[in-house]
């Protein structure tokens, strides 16, 4: 009989320690050691069983069959975009996101699309009953006639049910457990070993597997960090629960680019794809308002037009308040300092509130120019035309710096009917310039054209 003992395992690197320590002796991370119960001697038994059942053997690289890497489109274009064109046979995808964000809704619709293409689909739920899955499918008006559903927590039974399947969803990996591992469900050992078994099965039989992962309060995937290294693709489903928009981002992809994003809209009838995100982000209002500016940000390879809103008011406290939603806080502080130093604007005596309409986060510095225009518009209470779009990074000396993929941004702005597009002059080399494109080198040059009626400094 195998002996049972307690060890502490690092969630980041998997290092095992005999006692708890505040700092992992291997990777140096703090507070990453978690208690786990392991069975000594059973690991060798599992390895022996694996070697006995394994049918792998060395082969020449030129003899490898590339047909197994052909992609299978899901029928959901936004998901296919993020995956790099669809699922690859034998690939394992880890999908993570906050509770209630719509992961299960997206995956049951994916199963329905796959079964309509003649693929055998299996939806394994460890958190809900089969009746709950049926109610969700009925609410979404999905037929799911040939979709198999299974409510099971034992990974050994799941592995048997995966035989002959083309597409399998495990919702979620934290609820899976194996009888060969004595630790509790959701522990580091259970997650690691169950994931390894599922990945091994997927590779051997060419099954597309999606693992749903829980997240911690910090937004990281729960469980060992090695889980993200084991899978082929890591996807994050982002968005506020009280907002309608959802963004699917790629953090890792062995079969495609990690720069693509998919945009969805959560409705009462399920997840809907957003083919033109700019229409959603800009809204229906065409009225010119102070403190608002339209920026063209690049999400992956897709340009998106978004509205940046700024509100600056005299502070009633000794220390001015700064709040930013959708724009990096440190980036905002840098831009306020540039405006105060180079344009002599009294930003140090004003409370500053910045918001990106739609609840979307802008990661890159390509929206700096639009943020500065919105701030100046709010300070002077002068409206900026809704037909103006702004692209560019702002340097510490107030210059407009180069940003990439300018042709795509200009084409998107032109398609949306913008009359003037303010861009860095240095980014126009090799770009097809039209009459509505204005190349600028400094903030002062931009403000003189945007606020013509004002006495710009």
């Amino acid at each position: 009989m195998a002996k049972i003992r307690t060890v502490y395992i690092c969630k980041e690197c998997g290092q095992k320690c005999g006692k708890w320590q505040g700092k992992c002796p291997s990777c140096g991370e703090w507070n990453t050691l978690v208690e786990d119960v392991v069975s000594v001697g059973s690991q060798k038994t599992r390895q022996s069983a694996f070697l006995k059942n394994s049918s792998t053997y060395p082969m020449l690289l030129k003899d490898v069959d590339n047909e197994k890497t052909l992609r299978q489109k899901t029928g959901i274009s936004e998901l296919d975009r993020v995956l790099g064109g669809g699922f690859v046979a034998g690939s394992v995808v880890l999908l993570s996101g906050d509770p209630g964000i719509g992961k299960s809704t997206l995956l049951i619709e994916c199963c329905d699309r796959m079964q309509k293409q003649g693929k055998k689909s299996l939806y394994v739920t460890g958190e809900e009953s089969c009746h709950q899955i049926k109610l969700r499918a009925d609410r979404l008006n999905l037929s799911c006639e040939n979709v198999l559903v299974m409510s099971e927590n034992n990974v050994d039974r799941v592995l048997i049910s995966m035989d002959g399947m083309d597409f399998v969803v495990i919702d979620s990996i934290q609820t899976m457990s194996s009888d060969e591992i004595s630790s509790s469900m959701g522990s580091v050992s259970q997650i690691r070993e169950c994931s390894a078994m599922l990945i091994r099965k997927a590779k051997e039989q060419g099954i597309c597997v999606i693992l749903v992962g829980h997240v911690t309060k910090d937004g990281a995937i729960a469980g060992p960090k090695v889980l993200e290294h084991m899978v082929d693709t890591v996807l994050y489903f982002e968005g506020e629960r009280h907002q309608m928009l959802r963004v699917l981002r790629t953090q890792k992809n062995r079969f495609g680019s990690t720069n693509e994003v998919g945009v969805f809209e959560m409705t009462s009838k399920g997840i809907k794809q957003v083919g033109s995100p700019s229409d959603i982000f800009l809204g229906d209002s065409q009225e010119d308002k102070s403190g608002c500016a339209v920026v063209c940000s690049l999400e992956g390879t897709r340009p998106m037009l978004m509205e940046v809103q700024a509100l600056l008011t005299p502070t009633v406290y000794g220390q001015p308040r700064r709040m930013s939603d959708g724009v990096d806080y440190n980036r905002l502080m840098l831009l306020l300092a540039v405006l105060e130093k180079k344009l002599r604007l009294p930003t140090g005596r004003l409370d500053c509130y910045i918001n990106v309409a739609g609840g979307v986060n802008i990661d890159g510095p390509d929206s700096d120019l639009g943020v500065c225009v919105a701030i100046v518009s709010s300070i002077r209470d002068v409206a900026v035309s809704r037909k103006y779009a702004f692209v560019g990074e702002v340097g510490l000396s107030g210059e407009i710096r180069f940003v990439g993929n300018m042709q795509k941004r200009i084409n998107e702005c032109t398609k949306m009917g913008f009359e003037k597009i303010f861009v860095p002059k240095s980014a126009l080399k090799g770009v097809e310039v039209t009459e509505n494109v204005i190349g600028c080198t400094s903030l002062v040059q931009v403000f003189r054209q945007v606020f013509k009626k004002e006495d710009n400094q």
Side-chain angles (χ1 to χ4, degrees):
M1 181 177 178
K3 298 180 180 179
I4 297 177
R5 66 185 181 94
T6 300
V7 297
Y8 293 87
I9 303 177
C10 177
K11 296 187 295 183
E12 297 293 330
C13 65
Q15 176 69 26
K16 295 181 180 180
C17 300
K19 60 180 182 179
W20 185 87
Q21 301 180 51
K23 182 179 180 180
C24 175
S26 177
C27 63
E29 295 292 333
W30 288 88
N31 298 323
T32 57
L33 294 179
V34 294
E35 184 179 0
D36 198 5
V37 178
V38 297
S39 180
V40 181
S42 61
Q43 181 69 24
K44 183 178 297 185
T45 304
R46 290 197 301 271
Q47 291 178 351
S48 300
F50 168 67
L51 294 174
K52 182 179 179 180
N53 298 327
S54 178
S55 59
T56 59
Y57 55 90
M59 62 185 305
L60 293 175
L61 183 61
K62 64 179 182 179
D63 296 334
V64 176
D65 187 6
N66 285 334
E67 292 184 359
K68 293 184 178 181
T69 60
L70 295 178
R71 293 187 180 274
Q72 173 65 44
K73 292 187 177 295
T74 64
I76 305 176
S77 58
E78 294 296 310
L79 179 58
D80 290 335
R81 173 193 292 269
V82 175
L83 292 172
F87 287 109
V88 176
S91 63
V92 180
V93 179
L94 177 62
L95 175 63
S96 182
D98 293 333
I101 205 70
K103 301 185 296 296
S104 300
T105 302
L106 176 64
L107 292 179
I108 190 63
E109 184 171 347
C110 188
C111 287
D112 182 64
R113 297 290 185 96
M114 295 294 283
Q115 62 98 16
K116 288 181 179 179
Q117 301 178 42
K119 302 297 181 179
K120 296 182 180 180
S121 301
L122 171 64
Y123 192 102
V124 180
T125 173
E127 303 173 349
E128 302 176 288
S129 65
C130 296
H131 299 286
Q132 290 175 296
I133 303 299
K134 173 62 175 175
L135 290 175
R136 179 180 292 116
D138 293 341
R139 177 171 55 85
L140 302 177
N141 295 322
L142 302 177
S143 60
C144 295
E145 295 178 355
N146 298 319
V147 176
L148 297 176
V149 62
M150 181 181 185
S151 180
E152 183 59 63
N153 298 106
N154 190 289
V155 71
D156 301 303
R157 296 193 184 99
V158 173
L159 292 172
I160 297 174
S161 302
M162 289 174 60
D163 290 333
M165 294 292 134
D166 299 309
F167 182 75
V168 177
V169 174
I170 307 295
D171 189 6
S172 65
I173 187 60
Q174 279 81 10
T175 62
M176 293 293 115
S177 63
S178 175
D179 294 336
E180 296 180 351
I181 305 172
S182 58
S183 58
S184 60
M185 181 188 301
S187 64
V188 174
S189 298
Q190 286 284 8
I191 296 175
R192 184 179 61 247
E193 295 299 328
C194 292
S195 300
M197 296 177 187
L198 293 169
I199 293 173
R200 190 182 307 134
K201 185 79 169 183
K203 301 298 182 184
E204 289 178 352
Q205 299 191 7
I207 305 172
C208 298
V209 177
I210 294 186
L211 307 178
V212 179
H214 294 168
V215 295
T216 63
K217 61 180 181 180
D218 299 325
I221 299 179
K225 193 70 174 180
V226 70
L227 176 60
E228 299 181 41
H229 295 279
M230 295 167 64
V231 300
D232 299 309
T233 305
V234 180
L235 305 180
Y236 279 85
F237 213 23
E238 301 175 355
E240 298 291 337
R241 295 187 62 183
H242 303 292
Q243 295 283 349
M244 302 296 292
L245 291 178
R246 302 287 188 268
V247 178
L248 186 63
R249 297 183 184 273
T250 311
Q251 299 293 329
K252 171 190 174 182
N253 193 351
R254 289 175 179 163
F255 305 109
S257 173
T258 58
N259 296 324
E260 296 292 349
V261 296
V263 183
F264 299 86
E265 183 180 8
M266 177 65 75
T267 66
S268 58
K269 296 183 179 181
I271 294 284
K272 288 187 177 181
Q273 306 176 69
V274 179
S276 179
S278 299
D279 294 332
I280 303 295
F281 294 141
L282 294 181
D284 299 328
S285 176
Q286 298 297 325
E287 181 182 354
D288 298 341
K289 300 177 182 179
S290 63
C292 296
V294 178
V295 302
C296 186
S297 180
L298 203 68
E299 292 290 344
T301 59
R302 173 190 290 181
M304 296 184 186
L305 292 166
M306 290 171 278
E307 184 182 58
V308 176
Q309 301 171 340
L311 177 63
L312 283 88
T313 59
T315 182
V316 295
Y317 305 101
Q319 185 75 16
R321 193 173 185 186
R322 308 281 189 253
M323 290 187 64
S324 176
D325 187 7
V327 178
D328 183 67
Y329 178 81
N330 294 327
R331 196 74 191 172
L332 172 62
M333 299 297 291
L334 182 148
L335 296 177
L336 290 174
V338 171
L339 292 175
E340 183 166 10
K341 178 69 175 181
K342 299 301 178 181
L343 278 77
R344 300 179 182 177
L345 294 175
T347 58
R349 302 192 299 268
L350 301 174
D351 291 337
C352 180
Y353 305 91
I354 301 293
N355 176 59
V356 178
V360 182
N361 294 323
I362 301 178
D363 296 328
D366 51 2
S367 62
D368 289 355
L369 182 56
V371 174
C372 291
V373 171
I375 291 174
V376 175
S377 173
S378 178
I379 292 176
R380 298 186 174 182
D381 199 19
V382 177
V384 178
S385 174
R386 294 275 296 184
K387 295 298 182 179
Y388 291 178
F390 303 91
V391 181
E393 177 184 354
V394 176
L396 293 180
S397 60
E399 78 276 15
I400 311 300
R401 301 180 63 87
F402 172 88
V403 293
N405 295 291
M406 187 54 64
Q407 189 64 64
K408 291 183 178 180
R409 302 173 194 264
I410 293 176
N411 293 342
E412 179 71 12
C413 295
T414 304
K415 184 183 72 173
M416 297 298 296
F418 282 84
E419 298 175 356
K420 291 186 178 182
I421 309 170
F422 295 88
V423 302
K425 192 173 183 179
S426 59
L428 295 179
K429 295 180 180 179
V431 176
E432 183 180 349
V433 180
T434 56
E435 296 181 355
N436 62 338
V437 178
I438 302 175
C440 303
T441 58
S442 65
L443 284 174
V444 175
Q445 185 180 355
V446 174
F447 294 154
R448 283 176 179 172
Q449 300 187 59
V450 175
F451 307 104
K452 293 181 178 179
K453 297 181 181 180
E454 288 291 305
D455 183 17
N456 297 290
Q457 300 180 355

